[in-house]
Amino acid sequence: MKPLIGTHECKVDAKGRLPLPAALKKQLAGVMEDGFVLKRSVFQKCLELHPMSEWNKVMDDVNKLNRFVKKNNDFVRLFTAGLKVVEVDGNGRIQIARDLIAYAGIDKEVVLSPNSMILEIWDKDSYESVVDIAELDFAALAEDVMGNVKSNEDDGVS
């Protein structure tokens, strides 16, 4: 699966159903039949939609943890808290459970924001405040994170 591209604004209905935009469904076409895992984000008050194939890779790493170490066991419990297996229905929607809607503070309008192979689902107002450039010096962050990354061309790798 290739990384997802494109931010989308959508609306969740009163029953928690979220229609996936056509452009996003096209990118997810190869993985939709396997379903998804919907869970709380670790670092933000948003949700993460993991294609099942990607979720299985994450869990392969998590399952390597020694569960007889308390902090590992606590981590696994918190990491998987509230997760749900979801499928795209015949109308191209996913169902978001009420506890996850409450966790993410989702009202009605949401932003679907790709983060590599994961789709983040944000309440629109929360998303706007997180990406507000005035609150974060993005240039400094970009330099700290990407400033020392060498491209394949720099390494002589093609």
Side-chain angles (χ1 to χ4, degrees):
M1 182 177 155
K2 293 182 181 180
L4 299 171
I5 300 171
T7 302
H8 306 272
E9 293 187 13
C10 306
K11 292 183 180 182
V12 174
D13 70 15
K15 295 181 179 180
R17 296 176 297 204
L18 173 67
L20 297 177
L24 194 53
K25 285 191 287 191
K26 186 175 181 180
Q27 293 179 62
L28 294 169
V31 298
M32 283 199 339
E33 66 276 356
D34 294 332
F36 300 88
V37 169
L38 185 61
K39 69 176 289 299
R40 301 172 184 178
S41 176
V42 172
F43 298 108
Q44 302 289 341
K45 284 288 188 181
C46 69
L47 304 176
E48 297 175 349
L49 186 69
H50 296 251
M52 191 60 74
S53 58
E54 296 300 318
W55 177 252
N56 290 335
K57 292 176 188 175
V58 170
M59 288 308 296
D60 285 345
D61 289 337
V62 170
N63 286 330
K64 292 175 185 172
L65 297 173
N66 181 344
R67 297 293 295 270
F68 287 99
V69 174
K70 184 179 182 327
K71 71 179 177 182
N72 293 353
N73 202 43
D74 292 345
F75 167 79
V76 173
R77 182 181 309 105
L78 293 170
F79 182 71
T80 59
L83 70 80
K84 311 282 190 265
V85 174
V86 297
E87 295 181 356
V88 178
D89 70 13
N91 293 320
R93 305 172 299 191
I94 62 166
Q95 179 72 45
I96 304 176
R98 292 193 189 281
D99 63 321
L100 293 178
I101 286 174
Y103 170 82
I106 293 173
D107 184 23
K108 185 174 185 175
E109 294 186 26
V110 298
V111 173
L112 306 179
S113 176
N115 189 340
S116 188
M117 309 295 196
I118 300 166
L119 187 65
E120 294 178 340
I121 302 172
W122 290 84
D123 173 74
K124 184 178 179 184
D125 291 338
S126 296
Y127 178 79
E128 293 299 330
S129 69
V130 168
V131 297
D132 183 359
I133 301 301
E135 292 185 26
L136 177 67
D137 184 350
F138 183 68
L141 177 62
E143 182 177 2
D144 285 348
V145 173
M146 298 300 293
N148 293 319
V149 174
K150 292 183 178 183
S151 71
N152 286 343
E153 293 172 3
D154 294 340
D155 295 337
V157 177
S158 318

